[in-house]
Amino acid sequence: MDPLDRLAEPGLDLLRRVDTLLAAGVPEGHRVWPLLRRMQVLPGDAVRGFLDLHPAPLAGAGRAVRRLVRGYDDVCAALTDPVLWSGPAASAYGQEPAALLRHLDEGPESLVGRLESTAGYADALADWVEGSRLALARTLADVLRSAEAVSVVAATATGALPRHGPVGPGVADAAEIAARVLAVLCVAYDGAETLLRQWAPSLAESAWRPSTDGRPHYGQPTRVGR
């Protein structure tokens, strides 16, 4: 259990109250408006959705992908096992293992290269989730002990819905809490989009790179020895 998990219950209770007050209206020109437009969700729902993100499954996925590389290493070892051939098709058949080796494990565009990039992307996402959860936990801790939180709790203590309008009791304080929470979530999602842009070229499909001469190969090889 990380700090965000420990703060989830009191944090969601406060944000439920914040969402209730925001439904009555938000002060005109408040800095929360562009954040609400961008996120398209109230802070309580935004945090509730973020709570489902955990770094451990992503880190585990990275380790699982890296284990697949060993299977490709075995295939490459089999392809490089020296076997002598003779006959008119010997040179053509000799180029096919080389092309397959390039496709399997030669550079970042090979299958192994893409596996390593996929594992690296999973690790980067795990780090992003861990850092973002910590940043959100710090923000929740700050707002839970703020004067705005006291005002919001007092305004919603009776359980009655606030009257409609941005000047209702506690609304401005609710908007301030919402702005702080949504701001840290916006930064988090900006980080996720940046990661995707950075890693996207390395995650593209690995295209087959044929043998260098480009000619069709015919004939049957004659195996010598063994």
Side-chain angles (χ1 to χ4, degrees), residues 1-13 51 136-142 144:
M1 179 177 288
D2 66 2
L4 184 58
D5 288 326
R6 290 191 287 271
L7 290 170
E9 184 175 352
L12 288 176
D13 178 70
L51 284 170
L136 180 57
R138 288 170 175 163
T139 298
L140 284 180
D142 288 342
L144 280 167

Side-chain angles (χ1 to χ4, degrees), residues 106-211:
E106 186 179 292
E109 296 182 2
S110 67
L111 293 179
V112 169
R114 291 298 192 241
L115 282 175
E116 292 173 344
S117 294
T118 301
Y121 181 50
D123 291 343
L125 285 176
D127 291 341
W128 166 76
V129 171
E130 184 175 9
S132 298
R133 286 177 65 90
L134 181 58
L136 180 57
R138 288 170 175 163
T139 298
L140 284 180
D142 288 342
V143 299
L144 280 167
R145 57 175 177 255
S146 66
E148 290 86 358
V150 174
S151 173
V152 166
V153 171
T156 57
T158 62
L161 291 176
R163 65 184 179 84
H164 185 76
V167 294
V171 171
D173 294 318
E176 184 60 28
I177 291 174
R180 294 172 67 179
V181 170
L182 291 179
V184 74
L185 287 174
C186 281
V187 170
Y189 287 120
D190 282 344
E193 291 175 357
T194 298
L195 283 178
L196 181 57
R197 287 194 299 269
Q198 290 175 342
W199 284 90
S202 301
L203 302 174
E205 182 179 355
S206 180
W208 169 255
R209 291 171 288 174
S211 56

Side-chain angles (χ1 to χ4, degrees), residues 1-170:
M1 179 177 288
D2 66 2
L4 184 58
D5 288 326
R6 290 191 287 271
L7 290 170
E9 184 175 352
L12 288 176
D13 178 70
L14 175 62
L15 294 178
R16 176 183 58 80
R17 298 169 185 271
V18 167
D19 290 353
T20 298
L21 290 172
L22 292 182
V26 178
E28 184 177 356
H30 195 280
R31 68 189 183 105
V32 77
W33 274 114
L35 296 168
L36 287 170
R37 294 189 189 100
R38 179 179 177 187
M39 296 293 289
Q40 295 292 304
V41 66
L42 291 171
D45 289 335
V47 170
R48 195 173 294 108
F50 201 85
L51 284 170
D52 293 332
L53 293 176
H54 294 276
L58 291 164
R63 291 191 295 270
V65 169
R66 286 191 175 90
R67 286 195 294 270
L68 296 175
V69 174
R70 291 197 292 268
Y72 285 84
D73 290 340
D74 293 340
V75 173
C76 291
L79 288 171
T80 54
D81 185 33
V83 176
L84 297 178
W85 301 90
S86 68
S91 61
Y93 277 85
Q95 292 171 2
E96 296 308 319
L100 184 55
L101 281 169
R102 285 197 303 272
H103 184 59
L104 289 174
D105 190 8
E106 186 179 292
E109 296 182 2
S110 67
L111 293 179
V112 169
R114 291 298 192 241
L115 282 175
E116 292 173 344
S117 294
T118 301
Y121 181 50
D123 291 343
L125 285 176
D127 291 341
W128 166 76
V129 171
E130 184 175 9
S132 298
R133 286 177 65 90
L134 181 58
L136 180 57
R138 288 170 175 163
T139 298
L140 284 180
D142 288 342
V143 299
L144 280 167
R145 57 175 177 255
S146 66
E148 290 86 358
V150 174
S151 173
V152 166
V153 171
T156 57
T158 62
L161 291 176
R163 65 184 179 84
H164 185 76
V167 294

